[in-house]
Amino acid sequence: MFDLRHARVHGLAPMTATPLRPIHYLGNKSRHLRPIVSTVLGLAAPGTSVIDLFAGTGVVSRELAKARQVTSVDVQAYSATLAQALCSPRKYDARERTQIVERARNWLDALPSEVSALLDYESMVTDGANTEPSLFVLLTEEGSLTRTNATDPALSSAKADALAALTTAGAVITSYYGGVYFSYRQALEIDALMAAIGHSHATPAEATAVAALLGVASDTVSTVGSHFAQPTRLRARTGEPKVSSIVKTIRARSASVLVSYELWLRRYAALDPTKFACSTVTSDFRAVLGTIGDDVGAIYADPPYTRDHYSRFYHVLETIAVGDDPGVTTAPGSDQASRGLYRLSRHQSPFSIRSQVASAFNVLFESAGQRAIPLVLSYSPQGSGTRARPETRLMTIDRIAAAARARFSEVYVVPIDTSVHSRFNRTDLHGETPDDAEVLIVARP
Ligand SMILES: C[S@@+](CC[C@H](N)C(=O)[O-])C[C@H]1O[C@@H](n2cnc3c(N)ncnc32)[C@H](O)[C@@H]1O
């Protein structure tokens, strides 16, 4: 193992191939896999397993599983689906892929005619957006079938016509998110694929089939950053429609989900399975820390670092992964669905709550320290800070390192050079050393 005390993690051989990024995800570590994996494996004794405690997209779990048995943990269910698919991808051949898409098309063809009212309405306001953009904007604001107060009576009536048929068909994605995060056509195609792969809460489908659908949903959603914190605002502050955003949204909504799904299945088919399996756990990290076995040689921890809850940003992916009917939250002081259409039950992470973050770190350090398990912690730099809220990180690196030192005998803060270099280039004119480099905090018992 290299000497961590003087290490900057750099100069390592590049990864052999560009890793698959299964979804667009804030804080994913695709760009830093090599240094993270080398550090974790350098600390874990030969023959031991490792834990990826906040696995997110599962990209780190996959790299670790090339060398060790991995337990991939996250409180969000989509993470387990992605990690299983990345570590043990099912290779759907061309015939199987065509069959799934055929089944989805048959499901769409079998929908009662009442549903076409929605699609006809959508085509009409999309085609007419040039001359009457406000109707298209209203569709993105009020399109969810859970909202009963649409401004345009024609939209209200199309929704009312389709509601019973969609409920009977179990079209949860269309009913909740159609018109808002996706076009109705795209949402129906996602529902059709869920039916085609037999995915529901009661009968979960094979992980690769669901992971491919998560990839599609993440690529298809027409929001900045491809997340689901809230739909794109298509109005200026004055309330006027924003033409450039409308054009972008219409373009994103023309993409075919069925075509994209086949592509995602092919991407997974091209992945080699990892040498070791990833076992996945959907749970709060504290529950897992309470049950760690003697075979664990190191923990990699990449907890959230801002006030933004992942459960708010990726709730639609959670609904697809779980296959349930989650209900939606209402807007404050109203009986109408919230703008973001969040799931009724949503995880609140202590790492994203200022009054809880310090004790969350303490639990982490105490549990790993007591069991004498080395810990490698990523705590990302500012990320998407704004001028009004420049420091989005809830704890400073110094505070975290001090908390770790109370439980471990050696603690090093190791910058990951790729990130430092890219940021240096942007700040060296000011003669400042950037304090927002991507770092690893390495704690040894
Ligand atoms: C920074 S992301 C991890 C990114 C991941 N390393 C990757 O490369 O994709 C943090 C993750 O922590 C998860 N998380 C938040 N609170 C948690 C908790 N209490 N227990 C387990 N996981 C949690 C979130 O769902 C999110 O996926």
Side-chain angles (χ1 to χ4, degrees):
M1 196 185 76
F2 50 84
D3 183 354
L4 289 167
R5 279 162 301 184
H6 307 294
R8 290 180 94 78
V9 183
H10 63 168
L12 298 161
M15 308 288 302
T16 43
T18 313
L20 182 64
R21 286 188 195 201
I23 51 173
H24 304 271
Y25 207 54
L26 285 168
N28 84 83
K29 292 296 172 290
S30 299
R31 283 189 306 126
H32 304 297
L33 289 175
R34 190 77 177 97
I36 290 168
V37 169
S38 308
T39 308
V40 175
L41 296 180
L43 289 165
T48 56
S49 70
V50 295
I51 298 181
D52 182 5
L53 198 54
F54 303 88
T57 58
V59 292
V60 178
S61 293
R62 172 172 163 82
E63 288 309 310
L64 290 169
K66 291 178 179 174
R68 297 297 173 95
Q69 188 79 41
V70 173
T71 304
S72 185
V73 180
D74 200 286
V75 77
Q76 300 293 135
Y78 56 76
S79 173
T81 303
L82 297 174
Q84 278 165 24
L86 285 177
C87 294
S88 310
R90 155 109 197 256
K91 293 180 185 295
Y92 287 94
D93 62 28
R95 191 178 53 87
E96 291 171 310
R97 295 196 296 266
T98 309
Q99 279 171 352
I100 294 177
V101 172
E102 269 313 304
R103 281 202 296 276
R105 284 193 206 285
N106 292 340
W107 185 93
L108 289 168
D109 289 345
L111 284 173
S113 57
E114 289 83 358
V115 176
S116 10
L118 274 184
L119 297 172
D120 293 346
Y121 178 86
E122 180 167 68
S123 302
M124 185 188 74
V125 298
T126 307
D127 295 346
N130 256 343
T131 49
E132 198 154 7
S134 59
L135 283 183
F136 182 79
V137 175
L138 281 172
L139 169 68
T140 66
E141 293 169 346
E142 301 177 347
S144 173
L145 273 72
T146 58
R147 283 186 78 121
T148 50
N149 64 346
T151 310
D152 182 7
L155 175 57
S156 273
S157 126
K159 289 203 292 184
D161 281 356
L163 185 60
L166 290 175
T167 308
T168 309
V172 167
I173 302 300
T174 311
S175 303
Y176 286 142
Y177 317 119
V180 180
Y181 287 113
F182 312 106
S183 71
Y184 288 128
R185 157 78 51 203
Q186 289 169 330
L188 278 169
E189 289 184 359
I190 294 174
D191 278 319
L193 284 164
M194 290 187 60
I197 60 178
H199 182 57
S200 74
H201 198 39
T203 51
E206 207 279 325
T208 305
V210 183
L213 202 44
L214 294 172
V216 173
S218 179
D219 279 351
T220 305
V221 62
S222 49
T223 56
V224 178
S226 301
H227 55 62
F228 301 86
Q230 51 180 317
T232 310
R233 278 189 194 278
L234 298 183
R235 291 180 194 276
R237 274 174 205 278
T238 55
E240 286 302 300
K242 276 199 287 190
V243 173
S244 59
S245 306
I246 293 174
V247 169
K248 262 193 220 150
T249 304
I250 289 179
R251 195 176 308 133
R253 286 177 178 222
S254 67
S256 161
V257 160
L258 296 183
V259 170
S260 174
Y261 187 68
E262 258 209 277
L263 179 74
W264 271 100
L265 284 183
R266 276 195 272 138
R267 286 187 180 139
Y268 279 104
L271 277 187
D272 288 330
T274 52
K275 183 170 174 197
F276 295 88
C278 287
S279 54
T280 55
V281 181
T282 300
S283 155
D284 184 89
F285 75 104
R286 288 163 284 207
V288 174
L289 288 175
T291 59
I292 290 180
D294 291 339
D295 62 317
V296 175
I299 296 173
Y300 172 62
D302 182 19
Y305 49 94
T306 73
R307 286 191 308 194
D308 301 321
H309 288 282
Y310 278 81
S311 57
R312 180 165 165 269
F313 275 61
Y314 301 102
H315 59 103
V316 175
L317 300 185
E318 188 68 358
T319 300
I320 293 173
V322 176
D324 63 350
D325 180 340
V328 291
T329 53
T330 48
S334 152
D335 62 350
Q336 290 294 319
S338 58
R339 209 168 102 76
L341 303 164
Y342 309 120
R343 294 169 62 84
L344 280 178
S345 124
R346 219 161 38 77
H347 176 255
Q348 302 284 303
S349 180
F351 288 98
S352 299
I353 300 173
R354 206 170 281 285
S355 60
Q356 297 179 17
V357 61
S359 68
F361 274 111
N362 282 337
V363 170
L364 176 60
F365 294 140
E366 194 177 313
S367 302
Q370 260 172 8
R371 292 173 178 80
I373 301 173
L375 181 72
V376 177
L377 181 86
S378 284
Y379 205 55
S380 288
Q382 283 169 236
S384 53
T386 59
R387 195 175 289 195
R389 208 172 105 198
E391 179 50 279
T392 57
R393 233 177 352 200
L394 287 195
M395 288 263 284
T396 63
I397 297 295
D398 284 351
R399 265 186 84 193
I400 297 172
R405 283 193 185 100
R407 304 287 176 187
F408 288 86
S409 38
E410 291 176 275
V411 174
Y412 310 110
V413 178
V414 186
I416 297 180
D417 267 357
T418 49
S419 164
V420 172
H421 284 314
S422 63
R423 283 165 193 281
F424 252 132
N425 291 339
R426 279 191 265 135
T427 55
D428 56 5
L429 288 179
H430 309 289
E432 296 164 356
T433 302
D435 63 356
D436 59 351
E438 182 78 37
V439 296
L440 296 178
I441 299 171
V442 182
R444 298 170 77 179

